[in-house]
Amino acid sequence: MNYTVLRVWGIPIRLNISLFVFLPILAWLIGSGEQLAAYATLINSMTPATVEAAQLTDADRWIIGTAAAIGLFASVTLHELGHAWAAMRYDIEVESITLWILGGLASLTEMPKEWNREFWIAVAGPVTSLLVGAVCLAALFVVPESATLVVFALGLLAVMNVVLAIFNMLPAFPMDGGRVLRAVLARNRSYVSATRTAARAGIAFAIVFIFLGVVVAFSPVLVLVALFIYIGATTESRTVVIAELLSGFSVSDLVSQSETVPADATAETILARLLSARRTNLAVVDKSGTVVGAITASALRDIRPAEYETTTVGEIATTDLPRIDGETSAFDALQELRSGRSEAVLVERDGVPIGLVSQEDFTAVLNFRRDTVAF
């Protein structure tokens, strides 16, 4: 569940509910004795300020931890706004920026396949984090050393932003460094091949992180990051391959392959057709041949076998299916089908249904393309 808290350049900034749970934990982790002692050493080595973690009270630690936790996610927001700014420079719309337990995510309406565009959009985030870190570091040269809490908070944000930039530039897809790797590889090879290589690098990093988080030093957060990278890498690789396989197809191209059944046919007849066609759904047409819905295997399961001979398809057909224009690309149609709860969608041309398309139709086309196309 996400909550929109503000808009920047018209982009909604949303907070995921997981963030509300994680922020207090992060504040405690940052404010703990060992963590602050380590940060104090870094701050003292980078700036003229001298801070001592041992002199802080418990209240001071909570204040510093809370300020740093909130400041970190503010920094993540700026990081994502860096991506958004670069994307908008290429006229790519940014749908939203969402902050959650593992950071932030700028959702773009499309990811550019031009290597140079993806490169600059990817590096814009880490560059922004480095700039934010530099500003915090510079502030330490003017803030009085007596303002211990402020010095600690600014020092933490300086360190965190530098770490944020470095960590995001690891060549582990789908992180920024993985996208940079794909962009560089895409200069001399296909987009699909570059994605596969970047995804493999991401999976390798995920395995290393899981090993470190479980075997070397127990760290649930590192394990979560590893799972995020693994899922993101495999999902992106699969999505890019599917998009390439469906490239050049509109959803109406799939309709011609689908069968239709008359609304006055009996359930018994349709059961046999579903079995012979090895499908779980078929388009239903009225007497004029117009598609009016779909008959599914699940609908047949809802009636008793004794009623198969007396029940017509029209009586149990699903007629409130989602509708999609036939000119829609096959890939976009597949994404819409997967995001909904329906087993199929009605395809329209000029507002008139022309056929039914289900997951099975996409599977058949993808299998055929996979056997005939080499990447």
Side-chain angles (χ1 to χ4, degrees), residues 235-276:
T235 300
E236 181 75 12
S237 180
R238 188 183 306 112
T239 300
V240 168
V241 170
I242 290 175
E244 190 66 23
L245 290 172
L246 293 178
S247 177
F249 285 87
S250 67
V251 67
S252 60
D253 293 328
L254 280 65
V255 172
S256 60
Q257 306 301 320
S258 63
E259 297 183 45
T260 62
V261 295
D264 56 1
T266 64
E268 184 177 25
T269 303
I270 300 309
L271 177 61
R273 291 191 60 177
L274 285 172
L275 291 173
S276 63

Side-chain angles (χ1 to χ4, degrees), residues 119 122-123 126-127 163-172 175-178 180:
F119 176 87
V123 300
V127 168
V163 172
L164 181 64
I166 294 174
F167 185 73
N168 270 278
M169 282 305 294
L170 291 176
M175 296 167 65
D176 297 335
V180 170

